[in-house]
Amino acid sequence: MKRWTLLVAVSFVMSTAMAQDNPYIVKTKGVQKEEVAQSQDATDEAEPTDFMGKNFRYYSMCDWKEGMRFMVVPEKFDLLVNTFHDAETKKEVGNGMLRHFIMIYKGHNMLPNGRVHINFTCLDNGRDYYYEQPFGTFEDYCYTKMGVPTLAYLGDVDKARELLMNQPLLTRTQYFRVDTEYKGDGYRDVVVDKNMLVTVKAIGVGTRSFPVKIIVEDENGNQFYQNVAMSKTNSGVREEGFSYDADMYSFAGSFEFLGANMTVSSNIREYVNKTVHTKYVTSMSSKGSGKVRDVKVPRFTGFIIDEITPVRNSKYYTLTMRETDSRRVYYKDVVFNEDDINGGASGARDDFFGYLFGMGEGESRSTSKETRAAIREGRVIKDMSKEEVELAMGEPFKVIHDPEGGETWMYTRSNDVILDVFFDEKGYVTLAKARMAFDKSTDPKKAKNNRSAKSRAGNAGKNNTKKKNGTPLEEVDSREFTN
């Protein structure tokens, strides 16, 4: 066992030394070495659809053409189970010995015993190798997602270099990595801002499943990278596996390519650096404790819009905003034309910028800290103005005008309860009470229960029911109520 472990270690060191100047191995700044792309596969182009569909075609093994290039990128499990045999000696070759070597596909052949060999020539040492197919005919096997273990498809890497080097991208997730070892695969996780403009600085090989390693740099010179799947050729991962990792390990989940149609009109761009406030409770994404999560944002929350980014293939825009009080960053996808809401009239109305946001900080300029807190929590407290009550509770379903100049606003609450908010003649809250939405004495069942309760109470208790304009009011609390 010790001898085998030593052999693996020696193989790893030898392959690392031979691949040290490999242009497909790139690192973030600090351990980075300048590399230059030297090759590109000549593969068939798919019919143009979008950026990914046009440039990164998926090739099943059935469609592989001789000359396609792959790199051996073994993971921990691959150091225990060998992939290749030497075509001359017929002996297995450790994956550690072949780490970062380039394999050129040379077709397949069936042996008299029914076994199928997938054949390669190694560009680095000139030797021939084969992978013995584990089962079935080539036609049975080639349509599966299994492919050839350890091999990362270099066609995606070369195409990405051609299209993306020195190009601007937007980050579409917040989770990236930074290299910690030049000769190894060590890294540390970093969290960055979403929708941040970055520039591609290097592209190399990542892993078999996510073969394109894209190193980007922000405006402050900080570099970080992501290993992403492009065409998914020979990935060895089923489609649902990519769906699970979509936020991090698909190109679209990590980056946004700024094509010609990714522009923002001048009238929309005018909202950048403007202060707005939410008029209604809404859901947004926010970063907290290093994680992105969906949160409920209360009405009357103030924001400064830092950036407006188009969402590809839609009429939506992502707002990147800072809350005016906490400076916490939030994200919200909106449209600027109400007719563009996903789902039309049945869609989420708060997707419309004009409905959800009001310009400026709204009533917060003149309200107290306690009142702002109550508005955000949907509560009514004494001395609120009518505008503040409406911000906290919305529009009342009924308004009763007092001959002396005051008003009573009625709100429906759960459990057959109505909230009455009383204003004085100057328009400020004097009292708020909750009451049942019906007179118990008019409901036989309720009346019976009520009489039983009164009987149990005897003469020791008093009826706490008060009357205002003939309407029974059950007082719950005279200070504040939650909507």
Side-chain angles (χ1 to χ4, degrees):
M1 182 65 182
K2 290 182 178 179
R3 182 180 178 183
W4 183 89
T5 304
L6 179 61
L7 178 60
V8 170
V10 171
S11 300
F12 179 84
V13 171
M14 289 177 62
S15 63
T16 299
M18 295 181 68
Q20 182 172 334
D21 295 323
N22 193 318
Y24 287 100
I25 308 304
V26 295
K27 300 291 180 178
T28 50
K29 190 162 56 178
V31 289
Q32 183 184 13
K33 185 176 181 180
E34 291 296 327
E35 309 291 356
V36 180
Q38 296 180 350
S39 63
Q40 177 184 340
D41 287 340
T43 55
D44 292 338
E45 289 287 335
E47 288 298 320
T49 53
D50 55 15
F51 174 72
M52 294 298 295
K54 177 181 178 181
N55 297 292
F56 297 94
R57 173 187 169 184
Y58 167 72
Y59 290 93
S60 71
M61 282 185 63
C62 305
D63 298 324
W64 285 13
K65 293 178 172 56
E66 292 191 22
M68 290 176 66
R69 300 153 64 90
F70 300 83
M71 178 176 285
V72 181
V73 188
E75 298 182 358
K76 290 182 180 180
F77 176 80
D78 299 317
L79 296 177
L80 302 176
V81 180
N82 296 326
T83 301
F84 298 98
H85 289 75
D86 188 296
E88 182 179 348
T89 66
K90 312 301 181 184
K91 293 183 179 180
E92 291 186 2
V93 181
N95 288 326
M97 290 288 295
L98 301 175
R99 183 174 184 264
H100 291 168
F101 283 5
I102 295 175
M103 294 290 187
I104 302 175
Y105 178 61
K106 291 297 183 181
H108 69 278
N109 65 289
M110 180 179 290
L111 304 182
N113 62 4
R115 293 285 187 176
V116 177
H117 286 180
I118 313 299
N119 302 312
F120 300 89
T121 293
C122 180
L123 182 66
D124 295 87
N125 61 18
R127 299 186 67 84
D128 293 332
Y129 299 89
Y130 65 85
Y131 167 68
E132 187 166 287
Q133 190 174 288
F135 62 84
T137 66
F138 180 76
E139 287 71 22
D140 292 333
Y141 184 81
C142 70
Y143 284 110
T144 70
K145 293 286 186 180
M146 297 179 66
V148 179
T150 78
L151 293 185
Y153 179 46
L154 293 182
D156 282 355
V157 181
D158 293 327
K159 196 67 178 180
R161 282 175 164 173
E162 175 190 341
L163 298 174
L164 298 176
M165 279 299 298
N166 300 314
Q167 293 297 311
L169 302 176
L170 288 175
T171 57
R172 299 303 281 175
T173 184
Q174 294 180 285
Y175 303 107
F176 291 88
R177 295 173 175 177
V178 171
D179 291 304
T180 58
E181 302 172 346
Y182 176 67
K183 293 184 179 181
D185 297 325
Y187 67 87
R188 60 182 173 86
D189 295 314
V190 295
V191 178
V192 305
D193 288 337
K194 188 178 179 180
N195 293 325
M196 179 170 58
L197 186 65
V198 294
T199 303
V200 178
K201 289 299 181 180
I203 296 177
V205 168
T207 67
R208 177 196 176 190
S209 300
F210 310 105
V212 182
K213 178 179 180 179
I214 301 177
I215 296 177
V216 296
E217 184 174 284
D218 64 18
E219 61 180 2
N220 297 318
N222 300 311
Q223 289 191 355
F224 42 90
Y225 75 88
Q226 194 74 282
N227 295 328
V228 299
M230 305 296 269
S231 72
K232 305 175 186 176
T233 297
N234 199 55
S235 67
V237 179
R238 296 181 182 275
E239 197 65 31
E240 56 266 26
F242 287 107
S243 299
Y244 177 78
D245 289 318
D247 285 345
M248 285 186 59
Y249 298 123
S250 69
F251 178 80
S254 293
F255 299 106
E256 185 77 45
F257 178 63
L258 298 179
N261 62 332
M262 298 294 291
T263 58
V264 179
S265 62
S266 58
N267 59 324
I268 294 177
R269 177 62 62 180
E270 289 179 356
Y271 288 107
V272 174
N273 296 325
K274 293 292 194 301
T275 299
V276 296
H277 65 275
T278 50
K279 295 187 289 185
Y280 304 93
V281 176
T282 189
S283 293
M284 294 186 184
S285 298
S286 181
K287 179 176 69 175
S289 302
K291 296 181 180 180
V292 178
R293 54 175 61 91
D294 289 333
V295 296
K296 284 287 187 182
V297 175
R299 61 175 65 90
F300 207 58
T301 304
F303 295 97
I304 298 173
I305 300 176
D306 286 335
E307 187 56 80
I308 301 176
T309 308
V311 177
R312 181 174 291 278
N313 299 323
S314 79
K315 296 182 179 180
Y316 277 70
Y317 297 81
T318 299
L319 304 181
T320 302
M321 306 176 292
R322 285 173 293 123
E323 188 184 357
T324 52
D325 290 337
S326 68
R327 316 304 285 181
R328 185 176 178 180
V329 177
Y330 288 78
Y331 309 97
K332 178 69 176 179
D333 288 347
V334 299
V335 295
F336 288 87
N337 185 331
E338 192 168 10
D339 295 334
D340 294 334
I341 295 175
N342 285 342
S346 61
R349 192 177 179 188
D350 66 352
D351 284 0
F352 175 43
F353 180 88
Y355 170 82
L356 178 60
F357 292 104
M359 300 307 297
E361 296 184 32
E363 292 296 320
S364 64
R365 296 178 183 275
S366 58
T367 56
S368 66
K369 182 178 180 180
E370 292 75 14
T371 300
R372 287 199 298 271
I375 290 173
R376 291 185 178 187
E377 296 167 11
R379 297 184 291 114
V380 177
I381 62 176
K382 189 177 180 181
D383 295 327
M384 269 187 168
S385 68
K386 293 178 180 179
E387 292 78 9
E388 291 165 348
V389 171
E390 189 170 355
L391 285 169
M393 304 292 292
E395 294 182 1
F397 78 87
K398 186 175 182 180
V399 176
I400 298 176
H401 296 280
D402 192 311
E404 298 178 359
E407 289 183 6
T408 302
W409 288 11
M410 298 182 182
Y411 291 93
T412 302
R413 304 177 69 203
S414 59
N415 301 322
D416 298 321
V417 174
I418 289 179
L419 176 66
D420 292 315
V421 181
F422 301 97
F423 295 92
D424 61 19
E425 65 279 6
K426 295 181 179 179
Y428 292 97
V429 175
T430 59
L431 191 64
K433 290 184 179 181
R435 61 181 173 86
M436 301 304 297
F438 50 82
D439 188 339
K440 290 182 179 180
S441 62
T442 63
D443 187 318
K445 294 181 179 179
K446 300 286 186 180
K448 181 179 179 180
N449 293 336
N450 197 31
R451 286 195 299 270
S452 298
K454 290 180 180 179
S455 176
R456 289 192 299 270
N459 295 327
K462 294 183 178 180
N463 186 357
N464 290 326
T465 301
K466 300 180 181 180
K467 300 247 180 192
K468 182 177 179 66
N469 297 329
T471 304
L473 298 177
E474 289 199 355
E475 184 172 341
V476 179
D477 189 335
S478 61
R479 178 171 174 75
E480 59 183 49
F481 297 90
T482 303
N483 186 11

